[in-house]
């Protein structure tokens, strides 16, 4: 009797490969943008000064991004609850909302602690 290990389909599917590819592409683009920025301002010290000087613009950008995300979440929430109005779906949504808010607060707190 042989025991064979069955790999989960979701682990090696095309969707997961696309997500991983996009993650790598975005991380590489962010790294290149940082390297180009450091080169343009003359070094790491200049890059840090530029980031500190423009931090207000980045705050406005993040607030706009959070607003768009909240709008999209509210739209998706209404659609999901219209399709699945049971208590299980509501509990899952509440857990997801709490996790998302905790993640955003942790990110913003870590950004505030860097200053």
């Amino acid at each position: 009797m042989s025991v064979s290990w069955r790999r989960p389909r979701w682990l090696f599917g095309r969707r997961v490969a696309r997500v991983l590819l996009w993650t790598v592409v975005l991380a590489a683009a962010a790294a290149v943008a940082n390297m180009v920025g450091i080169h343009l301002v003359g070094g790491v010290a200049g890059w840090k000064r530029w980031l500190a000087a423009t931090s207000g613009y980045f705050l406005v950008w993040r607030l706009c991004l959070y607003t768009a995300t909240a709008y999209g979440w509210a739209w998706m929430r209404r659609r999901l609850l219209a399709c699945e109005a049971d208590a299980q779906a509501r509990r899952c949504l509440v857990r997801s909302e709490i996790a998302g808010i905790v993640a955003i607060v942790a990110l913003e707190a870590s950004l505030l602690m860097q200053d």
Side-chain angles (χ1 to χ4, degrees):
M1 176 189 255
S2 68
V3 177
S4 65
W5 179 76
R6 299 184 68 170
R7 68 180 185 180
R9 285 187 176 266
W10 64 269
L11 187 59
F12 299 104
R14 283 189 176 168
R15 177 179 276 172
V16 173
R18 281 190 198 148
V19 169
L20 288 175
L21 177 65
W22 274 109
T23 302
V24 169
V25 167
L26 289 174
V32 168
N34 277 307
M35 288 187 284
V36 168
I38 289 170
H39 178 71
L40 288 176
V41 296
V44 176
W47 181 246
K48 286 183 179 180
R49 282 192 304 276
W50 180 81
L51 284 176
T54 57
S55 65
Y57 297 114
F58 287 120
L59 174 63
V60 170
W61 164 251
R62 286 193 316 273
L63 291 175
C64 290
L65 191 63
Y66 295 150
T67 302
T69 302
Y71 176 78
W73 181 263
W75 174 80
M76 185 208 63
R77 186 179 206 277
R78 279 192 307 272
R79 288 190 58 184
L80 184 63
L81 289 177
C83 292
E84 298 181 29
D86 63 339
Q88 178 78 15
R90 287 188 184 279
R91 281 194 300 271
C92 286
L93 276 174
V94 169
R95 283 195 303 261
S96 298
E97 291 166 348
I98 291 170
I101 290 169
V102 167
I104 290 171
V105 168
L107 172 68
E108 291 299 323
S110 72
L111 289 173
L112 285 174
M113 285 190 219
Q114 288 179 358
D115 293 336

